[in-house]
Amino acid sequence: MTTHGDAVGPSALSAVPAASDEKQQVKAAIEPLDRTGGGLVRQPNLQNVPPAVGRLATALTRLRAALGSVSYPLALPSADEARRVGSALIAQLDDYLLPRLARLDAPLLVVVGGSTGAGKSTLVNSLVQAPVSTAGVLRPTTRSPVLVCHPDDVNWFGRGGLLPGLTRTAASSTASDALQVVATPTIGPGLALLDAPDIDSVVDHNRQLAAQLLAAADLWLFVTTAARYADAVPWELLTTARLRGTVIALVLDRVPVGAAAEIAAHLGEMLTANDLGSAPLFVLPETELDERGLLPDSAIGPMRVWFAQLAGDANARATVVRQTLDGALGALAPALGGLGEAADDQARASYALDDRVESAYRNALRNAEEGLRDGRMLRGEVLARWQEFVGTGDFLRSLESRVGHLRDRVAAALSGRPAPGRNLRVAMESQLVTLLRGVATDAAEQTYAAWHAHPAGAALLSPELQKASDDLPLRADRMVRDWQQWVLDLVRREASDKRAVARGAAYAVNGAGLAVMIAVFTSTALIPTGLEVAAGAGSAVAGQKVLEAIFGDQAIRTLATRSRTELMTRFEELLAVEAARFGERTAAARHETSNGALLRQIAVEVENARKELALTGSGS
């Protein structure tokens, strides 16, 4: 076997067969974990740790909470990748960073990963000289990953220090969250081997679990073959591991006799080109397995010695742990910068969508106000009921010269004719509801079209948003009736000291209130006659003088203006409810601005704490 790179550690470990009671020992160690549902640990125990470690752990815990609050809800190009990276960071915090930071002196975890059929399980069995991990005959292998450690280390690995989300078992399992723990004295204390699923498995869960396990490794032992070492998938993961700072060693397996030097040299060139030239490289020749299915000592012996030396050298293990931990921490800042930018994308898109909503419903309110001023409301049924209420045009013309006499006549006439007043109120109510429904429908259609043209907006739409709410007519009816009552109450308050109205009691107030409502439908706040209404004019002398005689000229204008303002306020509130149907769908994304800023802030805190802790001695 040839190696590319340096080995660490001075001592060797003799191989001893696994004791018969090891499974019982593992079972006893992990049973409490099973009863707690996997023993998921979110925050490390930070008692009796240096202050720098405590500050770093606090920053990481804040980061864990912040990552959990960012959802990237809008369908943007950056969203899928951000969710993937965010989930991966959460998993690494839970599985590795927080528990490892809490126990820097905990045993070293070596994750053995590689492509399908690369011989990972055979390699693990050969390193510990016992068939602890069953090699898969059928692909894909669906059994649980296997962690092999010394009996002295079962309490750490068996109780969920690292990878707390995986349920420990003493036997192989097909459960998706199972991790089989095997204790054997043939592996030195202080180091464990974890046989991971294939990184290129056709089963999604297997690939995801493999990536999760690799992210929790103190050292990744990557296994490939002479036929597959140049495949794209492994190199993507190797690049990820390098960027994350994970310490890497490689095994080139099943190398044909006579081709070792050439293939090893080529692989070495690829490693150097990818900034992995210092990684140890072990080359295993193509060979027959012994009767137990293990590689012969001539092939595996030097690698076993290398791991024995690593297991026996606490300083060497600490160097690996600190280098990988520091690298993983250092990789957080650029990753969080990308997540912050993706969160900003969400916020910018939500504001753009909200602007479209605001524009459409602002136009709707403007159209509603214009509809009150342009005379369109004083046509059809409203015109007919107004004429019915005040009498014929000749009657109105006759009022001009007899204003004083008409004060009493108005009250008497109104008191004897309640039905036309009710009819007029109903007609105005119908016109106002029709106006509101029209502008609300137009606004919904405009917003729907504007959102449909936006990639993030199109994914938020549903058919009911293309029109006004189903209950809008009922809410509009209630709103208009409430407004009409508000106008009557206003007139009653303003006329409380007017004797002419007092003599007419409620009917006089009703008549004056209806006249004020009609004035709201004009651009000049003056009461139109029937003929002038028909001509689209906005003022009338006779009816106006009746009200002026009772209330005064300026009071009439004030009453109509206040009533129109109140009506528009109620219109605006009703349209705001309609617009909120869209706003509810962007609400989550609007929070992403603060989330993006928070991620960047915590990234700085983590980086400052990492440098202060100086895991690798350089503080950079």
Side-chain angles (χ1 to χ4, degrees), residues 9-34:
S11 65
L13 178 69
S14 59
V16 180
S20 60
D21 64 343
E22 295 297 350
K23 284 190 177 181
Q24 291 300 320
Q25 180 180 354
V26 172
K27 183 177 180 182
I30 66 178
E31 276 182 346
L33 182 72
D34 289 338

Side-chain angles (χ1 to χ4, degrees), residues 33 38-41 91-104 106-111 147 153-168 179 181 192 194 212-213 215-219 321 325:
L33 182 72
L40 187 60
V41 178
Q92 190 176 34
L93 284 163
D94 291 344
D95 293 342
Y96 179 70
L97 291 174
L98 287 170
R100 172 51 80 188
L101 188 63
R103 279 288 311 275
L104 290 173
L108 181 79
L109 178 62
V110 179
V111 175
L147 187 148
D153 295 333
V154 168
N155 283 338
W156 170 249
F157 291 113
R159 292 182 183 271
L162 300 176
L163 297 162
L166 297 182
T167 301
R168 273 50 171 183
L179 174 62
V181 179
L194 196 161
Q212 178 185 0
L213 298 176
D218 294 308
L219 187 154
V321 167
L325 179 58

